[in-house]
Amino acid sequence: FGIDNTDFTVLAGLVLAVLLYVKRNSIKELLMADDGAITAVSTGNRDIAQVVTENNKNYLVLYASQTGTAEDYAKKFSKELVAKFNLNVMCADVENYDFESLNDVPVIVSIFISTYGEGDFPDGAVNFEDFICNADAGALSNLKYNMFGLGNSTYEFFNGAAKKAEKNLLAAGATRLGKLGEADDGAGTTDEDYMAWKDSILELLKDNLHLDEQEAKFTSQFQYSVLDEVSDAVALGEPSSHYLPSHELNRNADGIQLGPFDLSQPFIAPIVKSHELFASNDRNCIHSEFDLSGSNIKYSTGDHLAIWPSNAVEKVQQFLSIFNLDSETIFDLKPLDPTVKVPFPTPTTVGAAIKHYLQITGPVSRQMFSSLIQFAPNADIKDKLTLLSKDKDQFAVEITSKYFNIADALHYLSDGIKWDTVPVQFLLESIPHMTPRYYSISSSSLSEKQTVHVTSIVENFPNPELPNAAPVVGVTTNLLRNIQLAQNNVNIDDTNLPVHYDLNGPRNLFDNYKLPVHVRRSTFRLPSNPSTPVIMIGPGTGVAPFRGFIRERVAFMESQKKGGNNVSLGKHLLFYGSRDTDDFLYQEEWPEYAKKLDGSFEMVVAHSRLPNSKKVYVQDKLKDYENQVFEMINNGAFIYVCGDAKGMAKGVLNALIGILSRGKAISSEDAAELIKMLKTSGKYQEDVW
Ligand code: FAD
């Protein structure tokens, strides 16, 4: 890195900034195009101050959410304001409003913002970000707000979006009430961070607004009505109302679905092939191939596939049973005011809502315990619930450490007594709704234009505190495993399947192995110049996008050879890690790629659990290859890291800081600064989760 290289880095940074700006604007156009429809459904008006005023709201909660977490917390917070203080709260996605009138909003505003990627705002917050970052000094002098950021301290730009919003709001003259809340998913404390922030803000609001606190009382945002019979307009779990038989708008004459397909309307994609990637059956990793033909969906190598799961039959039964619900009940929900949107297709049945639309597994929160106090089936249970909802440590010992989901926890508390005192409306409004899970695409859009490959490790482990209880399982990955077994005609009695699914889906929409999906653009991209050297670090399923990268290079070089072009490919060095040889992903494919790339591709493998061998991780291998890695970085290599955000990404960063510091004889701090510059210029990219 001489001066020339630094100049190049700065220049590359500028180029990247321009590209990002252009990309953002095209994303913005896309969102603006979508917005019309969304607004028409919710209020018909995008002017935030007008909507608040016209609907007589006395509190505004805004959220900017990427995967649904910020939305969940914003909704929980709004519900508590209603339940405890009887406030008339409007809770809104920033994507659906314009903010030129933000300074005229006559009420206090709470803002929930997730950070995504390199300290970025969520995709849907482009408009909001533009507005607050360009507001003049003093332009928001009437605004009183508080803010809760959702982030992950294992990323460099921890809560970057919330901090940026905060800086700009203050610069525009807004007044913050209370301290900025910062949830840290990296430390696993999001829920407790929220509870601490929320308690302090509620105290402050009580004083500021002279509120009287009442015992929390659930107030529904919807009119709930029970219907008699299933018609074509009743959703049975369809991911959006476009898939209902009564809705013909989005199909052509041949019955083929028409896009655009995105977060609001996924594509029902056939899984044309899937297979198990691990050799031993103690753990599972599934390779699935989704066919996007006819959808018009385009993906680029390095993008993510969002998969929309449904809950396992056992989990649905457990939930229905503890609340004593009738799965056949057909209901409709109508918003009681126009600022509220029903989060899933209605009318529907209780069974369909629980199977397809609600996130009924996963850890239960202390906040949920507080809201359930009002519905406890008897006084003893009420006391226990109250105690646990107030005692963070006891809650951790009795509930969280046992990996209880809501049904497990309530069964444990009531010793099996049914919770039929809990109204179904409360459950429909308080249980987070199902969100898609994201997967780094492991195919290349150059070699597989219509097919997207996904590599998913199946989440299934024994409950450490309760060895006789059911294992702790993930929703989507076990669904993919169920599909893989069925598709390959494996007799499931011969397997150790922990959960089972209805694979046919609502009205057989998912029959023959289909699932709802959409593609999410990422910025994880190979350098456009093929002669640029590339260092890839991806242990476990972190190797997924690198399989895509290498397939891309193979397809590119083959097409060049065919065209008679003599292109030279830069060195592509992949650091991969697995426990042993049983879980070595795509083991048979890599030598083929190396052959086809005439030695430009090399793979270095670290095994952490080989019998009679010492544990070796990708970080250790980086050090073993120190000279080569240093030389490649010096020659302008792009560095990519993918996989576990908690341990690996930090370990790799430290190893690279060490390599640069020794290679250039500079301090670790200076080496860390150099890596920051590489990040800014797009030459060090992370895709970690
Ligand atoms: P979920 O149902 O979401 O559960 C998550 C975890 O919680 C599981 O470990 C589960 O066992 C545990 N759990 C369940 N119940 C409880 C409870 N009551 N208490 C505590 N814990 C509980 N994954 C891959 O395998 N491959 C990839 O290529 C990949 N790429 C990704 C790319 C991005 C950008 C992101 C954000 C994530 C990526 N992931 C990838 C992770 C993936 O999105 C999912 O998070 C993962 O597969 C688990 O999904 P699931 O639905 O099976 O588990």
Side-chain angles (χ1 to χ4, degrees), residues 9 39 98 137 166 243 286 331 335 351 437 511 583 613 643 656 683:
T9 308
T39 311
D98 294 329
E166 163 92 342
Y243 290 107
I286 309 298
F331 67 90
R437 311 299 199 267
D511 67 351
D583 62 350
S613 304
L656 289 169
K683 291 178 87 179

Side-chain angles (χ1 to χ4, degrees), residues 360-537:
I360 57 172
T361 58
V364 57
S365 67
R366 207 149 60 81
Q367 168 79 29
M368 178 57 90
F369 268 34
S370 315
S371 347
L372 278 165
I373 293 171
Q374 57 191 308
F375 305 120
N378 65 39
D380 285 350
I381 301 171
K382 184 172 182 172
D383 289 348
K384 187 101 204 260
L385 202 54
T386 310
L387 190 119
L388 284 174
S389 72
K390 292 203 171 121
D391 189 334
K392 172 175 149 189
D393 297 330
Q394 197 58 25
F395 185 84
V397 172
E398 281 199 54
I399 307 296
T400 313
S401 74
K402 293 177 182 155
Y403 288 81
F404 281 158
N405 64 34
I406 185 169
D408 297 326
L410 298 191
H411 190 276
Y412 163 79
L413 279 184
S414 71
D415 206 10
I417 293 174
K418 302 283 179 202
W419 289 67
D420 49 11
T421 37
V422 182
V424 69
Q425 294 100 300
F426 171 85
L427 297 171
L428 295 170
E429 291 181 48
S430 307
I431 307 273
H433 58 257
M434 187 72 101
T435 49
R437 311 299 199 267
Y438 292 93
Y439 295 88
S440 303
I441 292 177
S442 57
S443 50
S444 146
S445 54
L446 205 59
S447 47
E448 293 88 21
K449 283 195 174 43
Q450 294 297 328
T451 315
V452 165
H453 300 181
V454 157
T455 311
S456 59
I457 182 108
V458 178
E459 298 290 335
N460 173 16
F461 57 88
N463 188 321
E465 289 284 310
L466 306 168
N468 295 326
V472 186
V473 291
V475 180
T476 319
T477 49
N478 284 280
L479 170 59
L480 290 170
R481 182 172 172 223
N482 269 248
I483 290 178
Q484 182 269 320
L485 293 171
Q487 186 162 39
N488 293 298
N489 299 316
V490 177
N491 181 353
I492 54 171
D493 296 338
D494 299 340
T495 65
N496 52 357
L497 266 189
V499 278
H500 302 78
Y501 293 81
D502 159 20
L503 299 186
N504 287 330
R507 297 184 170 94
N508 292 330
L509 192 62
F510 307 158
D511 67 351
N512 289 320
Y513 317 117
K514 298 190 198 84
L515 283 182
V517 300
H518 74 269
V519 167
R520 185 171 76 184
R521 301 254 158 258
S522 92
T523 50
F524 207 64
R525 295 281 186 268
L526 272 169
S528 51
N529 182 349
S531 63
T532 305
V534 169
I535 299 169
M536 296 162 281
I537 303 140

Side-chain angles (χ1 to χ4, degrees), residues 275-278 283-287 455-458 541 585:
H275 62 266
E276 172 68 54
L277 288 165
F278 286 172
R283 291 159 69 230
N284 303 92
C285 187
I286 309 298
H287 172 90
T455 311
S456 59
I457 182 108
V458 178
T541 47
L585 294 173

Side-chain angles (χ1 to χ4, degrees), residues 304-342:
H304 301 134
L305 187 74
I307 304 181
W308 298 59
S310 47
N311 287 307
V313 173
E314 291 85 347
K315 302 292 176 190
V316 172
Q317 275 314 327
Q318 184 197 24
F319 190 93
L320 286 167
S321 163
I322 192 71
F323 292 109
N324 211 14
L325 297 170
D326 174 8
S327 70
E328 304 292 319
T329 305
I330 309 163
F331 67 90
D332 199 5
L333 293 179
K334 290 269 182 275
L336 288 172
D337 84 52
T339 62
V340 178
K341 215 178 138 208
V342 184

Side-chain angles (χ1 to χ4, degrees), residues 113 115 148-152 157-164 181-184:
I113 300 188
T115 293
F148 188 69
L150 292 113
N152 184 323
F157 302 97
F158 175 47
N159 267 311
K163 285 176 188 158
K164 187 173 176 194
E182 288 187 65
D184 184 1

